[in-house]
Amino acid sequence: MYGEAGGFDCSGLLEYALAQVGMDMYGTAQSQYNKTNPVSEEHIKPGTSFFSPPISPGLRT
């Protein structure tokens, strides 16, 4: 996991959350981004994890 002891950074939190549902998204934000496919904004619904410039994971609320 990436992040400081006792917590997560953005890529570590995404990695941990996806692992809870059986998905593998290991690595830094950049390597996670490289594993994704672009989608249009209308496909980003509440609860969707996504990357936006600069490359960092986000969560639509």
Side-chain angles (χ1 to χ4, degrees):
M1 295 283 169
Y2 292 86
E4 298 182 23
F8 297 105
D9 67 0
C10 55
S11 60
L13 179 59
L14 182 62
E15 177 185 337
Y16 176 81
L18 292 177
Q20 302 311 297
V21 294
M23 296 177 70
D24 177 31
M25 187 59 88
Y26 179 78
T28 64
Q30 179 66 55
S31 65
Q32 291 174 348
Y33 174 81
N34 292 340
K35 297 176 186 178
T36 65
N37 296 312
V39 296
S40 59
E41 189 168 343
E42 69 251 13
H43 290 99
I44 301 174
K45 305 294 184 206
T48 300
S49 60
F50 63 94
F51 291 86
S52 61
I55 297 172
S56 63
L59 180 66
R60 174 64 58 98
T61 57

